[in-house]
């Protein structure tokens, strides 16, 4: 069952209208479960990106969206949440068909977007300045103003969720938005665009330009009207965005990769830990920036825990996301599948043991799609590529330790610092270890878990700035200090 037919056609969304690209280019959008086209989209270029920036700038200045009344924006964001909630099933179907994740996962994503919109709607009329005591007869106060046009560049692994995670607070603060979704997965962002109109967001305040990152993305970021950029994706592109943003001195939020450790202490509840570990690496077919991809286990429980995780991996039903029995869908593209299998093959040749999965599924009917089995690899050296680099697929590497110090050293031995998980029954010890882990987010006895109200961001090369949480709306504002000389006027008696 497919949510779309291959004849479905999407345009760019600029100024409240669905437009063809200025060059007239279109491309097919694929279903990773079948590698067949499910729709086509217009593919924008430099001219379309510039046009979107012009329209967004005009709307920011003239539509009234940025004016003081945050409750108006709160109501529009709340209406958007309700509209998305009503159509959650259709959005989930589309996300699954375009990206590959299971319907259950896609429903979870859409529910998360609804919660994000509701949460951020509640902040839209609470953007406040301060009064500051200063010497003499003066009044000193601050204003929080929207930035202007904000650019958002999103990846393919959580197409709508990661786009709206930064778009929603930018809208709440009164900005206008130009979103560039990943070329592989643009459909839910384009479908969402139509909802913004229904919800009463003025034309031109929310725009979507599909097109190649190097062309459309870079044009958006370097445009003189771009006042901030929020990027989620790979470290390489993140560095490029940082260079471009630095040249224009604009603020940026970068949410980049991870190689997250999962540290199991000897006293952990191993059944619970095994389930959490499997969820944290096989969820979304491992295509999660914060996947718990390095399992760090003490020698005495190594065999028992690996056997439990491998059993879960072997028992998982892999299949098309649209089938209700599927527990893990395909990876997003043929290229991604080859890349992931390449990591496993390289580890195998270097002496690693593949205790579960490891290959593409070559039997029909799954052979047509980008399916591989959940994979567990042991006997890996800490300096091996599968341990050091982000695989971005369902591949768990297992490392051993003999002392807690060694476990913490191994956990922190990465250029990334997005997330770390810890499994133990000793909660006092857990809080102490949590402080020693170099990661922006730590879960204790939980797989990777977050909420719109929890800050989300990484240390080290995992990024700069935070998404989510109460302060996120402020990140899309600038602060102005106003000082007033009250002169010699005296209060009237
Ligand atoms: P990419 O970095 O290739 O792409 C991300 C987005 O950037 C896409 O929209 C892409 O467009 C665009 N892009 C590509 N090149 C440029 C450029 N030169 N200038 C501006 N934009 C550009 O990553 P993937 O989408 O392939 O996602 C996988 C990677 O993202 C993984 O490494 C993963 O760790 C990381 N990630 C991090 C997350 C986090 O929250 N920290 C969340 C999700 C992923 P196009 O699609 O057209 O190439």
């Amino acid at each position: 069952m497919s949510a779309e037919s291959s004849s479905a056609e999407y345009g760019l969304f600029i100024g409240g209208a669905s437009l063809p690209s200025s060059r007239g280019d279109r491309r097919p959008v694929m279903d990773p479960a079948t590698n067949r086209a499910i729709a086509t989209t217009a593919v924008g270029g430099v001219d379309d990106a510039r046009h979107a920036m012009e329209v967004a700038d005009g709307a920011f200045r003239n539509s009234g969206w940025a004016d003081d009344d945050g409750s108006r924006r709160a109501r529009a964001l709340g209406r958007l949440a309700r509209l998305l909630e009503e159509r959650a099933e259709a959005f989930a179907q589309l996300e699954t068909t375009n990206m590959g994740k299971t319907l259950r996962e896609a429903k979870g994503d859409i529910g998360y977007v609804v919660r994000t919109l509701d949460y951020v709607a509640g902040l839209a009329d609470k953007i406040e300045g301060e009064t500051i005591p200063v010497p003499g007869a003066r009044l000193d106060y601050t204003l929080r103003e929207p930035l202007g046009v904000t650019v958002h560049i999103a990846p393919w692994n959580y197409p709508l969720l990661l786009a709206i995670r930064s778009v929603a607070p930018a809208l709440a603060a009164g900005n206008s938005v130009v979103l560039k979704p990943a070329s592989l997965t643009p459909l839910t962002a384009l479908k969402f665009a139509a909802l913004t109109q229904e919800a009463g967001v003025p034309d031109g305040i929310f725009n979507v330009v599909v097109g190649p990152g190097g062309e459309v993305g870079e044009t958006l970021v370097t445009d003189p009207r771009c006042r901030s950029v929020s990027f989620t994706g790979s470290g390489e592109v993140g560095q490029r965005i940082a260079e471009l943003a630095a040249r224009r001195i604009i603020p940026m939020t970068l949410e980049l990769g991870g190689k997250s450790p999962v540290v199991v202490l000897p006293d952990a509840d191993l059944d619970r830990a095994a389930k959490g570990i499997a969820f944290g690496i096989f969820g979304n077919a491992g295509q999660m920036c914060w996947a718990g991809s390095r399992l760090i286990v003490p020698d005495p429980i190594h065999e028992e825990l690996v056997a439990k995780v491998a059993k879960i991996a072997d028992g998982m039903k892999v299949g098309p996301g649209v089938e209700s029995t599927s527990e893990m869908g395909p990876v997003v593209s043929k290229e991604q599948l080859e890349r992931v299998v390449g990591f496993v093959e390289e580890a195998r040749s270097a002496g690693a043991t593949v205790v579960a999965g490891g290959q593409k599924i070559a039997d029909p009917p799954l052979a047509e799609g980008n399916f591989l089995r959940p994979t567990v690899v042991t006997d890996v050296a800490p300096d091996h590529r599968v341990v050091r680099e982000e695989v971005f697929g369902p591949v768990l590497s297992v490392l051993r330790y003999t002392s807690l110090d060694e476990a913490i050293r191994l956990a922190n031995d990465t250029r990334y610092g997005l997330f770390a998980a810890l499994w133990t029954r000793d909660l006092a010890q857990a809080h102490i270890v949590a402080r020693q882990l170099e990661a922006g987010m730590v879960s204790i006895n939980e797989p990777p878990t977050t909420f719109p109200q929890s800050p989300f961001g990484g240390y080290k090369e995992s990024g700069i700035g935070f998404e989510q949480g109460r302060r996120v709306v402020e990140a899309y504002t600038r602060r102005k200090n106003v000082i007033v000389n009250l002169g010699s006027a005296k209060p009237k008696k």
Side-chain angles (χ1 to χ4, degrees), residues 109-328:
D109 284 13
I110 304 304
Y112 198 93
V113 178
V114 170
R115 293 209 302 281
T116 299
L117 289 165
D118 277 331
Y119 178 73
V120 162
L123 299 173
D125 58 358
K126 297 169 192 70
I127 302 168
E128 293 167 353
E130 298 163 312
T131 54
I132 300 163
V134 292
R138 295 184 180 87
L139 170 64
D140 189 299
Y141 65 95
T142 61
L143 298 171
R144 285 255 171 212
E145 299 172 340
L147 300 169
V149 184
T150 60
V151 167
H152 305 254
I153 301 178
W156 44 257
N157 56 341
Y158 290 84
L160 190 65
L161 190 160
L162 292 179
I164 303 307
R165 186 173 71 170
S166 70
V167 163
L171 291 177
N175 299 283
S176 61
V177 159
V178 180
L179 166 65
K180 196 211 92 60
S183 295
L184 289 172
T185 56
L187 300 187
T188 44
L190 291 167
K191 193 174 167 74
F192 182 84
L195 295 193
T196 61
Q197 276 193 306
E198 258 186 80
V201 176
D203 290 350
I205 289 294
F206 177 76
N207 307 278
V208 185
V209 186
V210 181
E215 186 181 356
V216 168
E218 295 206 10
T219 304
L220 295 176
V221 178
T222 52
D223 189 284
R225 292 159 290 210
C226 167
R227 298 311 331 156
S228 85
V229 54
S230 305
F231 170 80
T232 304
S234 61
E236 296 71 34
V237 178
Q239 282 184 3
R240 175 77 184 138
I241 302 277
E243 281 169 22
L244 298 176
R247 282 188 214 158
R248 299 210 36 254
I249 322 284
I250 53 171
M252 64 186 153
T253 302
L254 302 178
E255 294 284 0
L256 309 176
K259 193 71 201 177
S260 301
V262 180
V263 179
V264 181
L265 300 191
D267 69 335
D269 175 337
L270 295 192
D271 287 317
R272 250 186 92 197
K275 281 189 200 139
I277 291 160
F279 180 88
I281 184 66
F282 304 137
N284 213 36
Q287 301 161 114
M288 299 180 280
C289 49
W290 63 346
S293 51
R294 293 183 300 136
L295 178 58
I296 299 174
V297 197
D299 273 330
I301 59 166
H302 178 273
E303 215 168 304
E304 187 183 353
L305 184 59
V306 168
K308 284 181 192 294
V309 179
K311 190 171 171 207
I312 297 173
D314 287 338
M316 279 179 85
K317 171 103 171 59
V318 178
V322 287
E323 285 179 13
S324 60
T325 52
S326 297
E327 293 170 304
M328 192 177 94

